[in-house]
Amino acid sequence: MAGGYSMEVPFHRPSITEAEIEEVVACLRSGWLTTGPRVRRFEEAFAQAVGARWAVAVNSCTAALHLAVEALGLRAGQVVLVPTLTFAATAEVVRYLGAWPLLVDCDHSTLNMDLNDAEDKIRKLRQGRLPLDRRAEVVGIIPVHVAGLMMDMDDVAEFARRHGLWIVEDAAHAFPAAYWSKHTQSWRKAGEKTAAVTCFSFYANKTITTGEGGMAVTDDAQLAARIRQMSLHGLSHDAWSRYQAGGSWDYQILSPGYKYNLPDLAAALGIHQLARAEELRQKRETLARSYLESLSDASFVELPPNPSDRVHAWHLFVIRIRSLAGQNIRDELIRKLREAGIGCSVHWRPLHLHPYYRDILGWSSDLFPVATTIWQQLLSLPLFPDMTIEEQQYVVKTLKAVLNQSVSVRKAA
Ligand SMILES: Cc1ncc(COP(=O)(O)O)c(C=O)c1O
């Protein structure tokens, strides 16, 4: 028993089949490694999978978010609503353009952005009670579907309409995912219809992966064209179209763009991952249901919601550890689980508690009572499609054991 534990369960293990490996090898043998025919195939299939007209593949979700807000014309000094409980990327892309994130608290149950608080934050901004210029123009909102549980995009759309905002959907966790739209009485996927642009992540531990990668999808031809152009130095033609029969070596620089294009080598993986996306989601859902059942009797553990009006992507399985006699034991549990060979994580320390947003920009904790309390209880357990029953049982058994241990130590004290 190496290290004193009976099993090692990583936080994530990508699911890679022979078909994916063969496609990467075929790409290597083809002589074309950068953006080309495999990226085009990946984009077309992805647009179809989410029900959007256009999809532009890029090298990260961060790049997709950056290109989305740039294409929407975000300017220095403007303001965008961003949840405080999110990853760095959601807010940093707003800062890239000199605009400001207006941070919003999260909903206690779903952990997604609380639209009532968004309303309140706009009111406080106008009253000059936030560390932002009270006269600044609020132009957009970036909802995040935390862990793969979608926000109700009907509500987001209604909120955005009322305040005259564009929507960029951060769906880094939400492929494939859907919500039941009360408005249209139909299932709507992340990326389908509501947002101006939706951004997905294919980072190594995401629901489908290309190692690093992302996709921006939209129904708007002009936004798609701007995103595509800015993803490759602002050039009039990409390399693949220049080297095609009938293509010309010539191109023009139309804007000072970025270097965000996805290579064919990565798309080779993506094409096959995409075809398996629903199968992989179902495997995660089965594991998530099994966690929900086997942890239902664990004291001090609060389980994630699984509402029937959502198709949950189950990118993450986030539990909450209630405090024990007023003491927070989350970090102690993570340490003990790691000692037992189990990889865990926390999603996330809220943005307003990071030095840049707290000390430099001046956001204070009392503006975010829910996120400030809840994040200290959050613990993400391993969840990935190829996790075995034995691995999951080991996680459940060990979690219960270390919880009991912590409880008894405190009772004895
Ligand atoms: C909510 C959210 N948005 C954006 C990103 C950025 O994704 P990427 O690593 O593909 O840039 C992440 C990454 O984990 C994320 O969790």
Side-chain angles (χ1 to χ4, degrees), residues 165-205:
L165 312 175
W166 46 249
I167 306 169
V168 168
E169 197 178 3
D170 181 342
H173 298 190
F175 182 75
Y179 75 105
W180 177 256
S181 164
K182 295 183 283 300
H183 182 60
T184 60
Q185 288 291 303
S186 61
W187 287 101
R188 283 224 168 154
K189 297 174 197 162
E192 194 177 356
K193 305 275 190 291
T194 317
V197 185
T198 303
C199 304
F200 296 89
S201 174
F202 312 133
Y203 177 66
N205 70 6

Side-chain angles (χ1 to χ4, degrees), residues 60-63 65 86-87 89-90 144 170 172-173 200-203 206 212-214 348:
S60 71
C61 180
T62 309
L65 289 165
T86 186
F87 183 60
T90 321
V144 178
D170 181 342
H173 298 190
F200 296 89
S201 174
F202 312 133
Y203 177 66
K206 292 298 194 291
E212 297 279 358
W348 301 266

